[in-house]
Amino acid sequence: AVVSTQSTGNIDVWDLMDRSHEPSMSQNISSSAVTSIVPYRVSSKQVLLGVGDNFGTLHILEVPWSLRQASPNELTAMSSYFERECSRIDYYKDRDANREEKIVDSSPQIPTALETDEEEEERLKKSFNNYLTMEKEFLVKLGLRKEDDPVKLIH
């Protein structure tokens, strides 16, 4: 469980195994902002939470058993949760960077001189040869073609 504070005087308890988008429990502690939280283990069966507020008042709360006792697979589940979240963040960073590149690349291009028929034919041959090469690689990955099968390129 993760405990966070609010300037409204509430503390939020987050059970990320249950819900990651909202706190599992929210408790009003004071009418002023909570400024500090300190856990204190009294014994193996009791954990207290000292909560200080902006007025200098100390509130003592007992942590329920379900929040102080980890489930058998909690460490593994939380590790995988954080790995997924990190991957998701990386994905969005890459996606945003790619979008910015596309915006820059999509600026209007000033047309250059028209290409001659020979230049156009050469460009189309090169493009088609690239297609044939990628097609062969794809078929090899599918196991429908052998690596050493030649590609019939256009010259």
Side-chain angles (χ1 to χ4, degrees), residues 113-130:
L114 295 176
E115 58 189 1
T116 63
D117 290 341
E118 293 83 21
E119 291 171 335
E120 181 181 15
E121 186 176 341
E122 188 62 33
R123 182 180 53 81
L124 292 173
K125 281 181 187 177
K126 191 182 282 187
S127 176
F128 187 68
N129 287 338
N130 285 339

Side-chain angles (χ1 to χ4, degrees), residues 132-148:
L132 291 175
T133 304
M134 289 190 310
E135 179 185 41
K136 178 192 172 201
E137 291 172 3
F138 180 70
L139 292 172
V140 167
K141 285 182 183 178
L142 290 176
L144 300 174
R145 192 165 180 186
K146 294 181 183 174
E147 182 72 38
D148 55 353

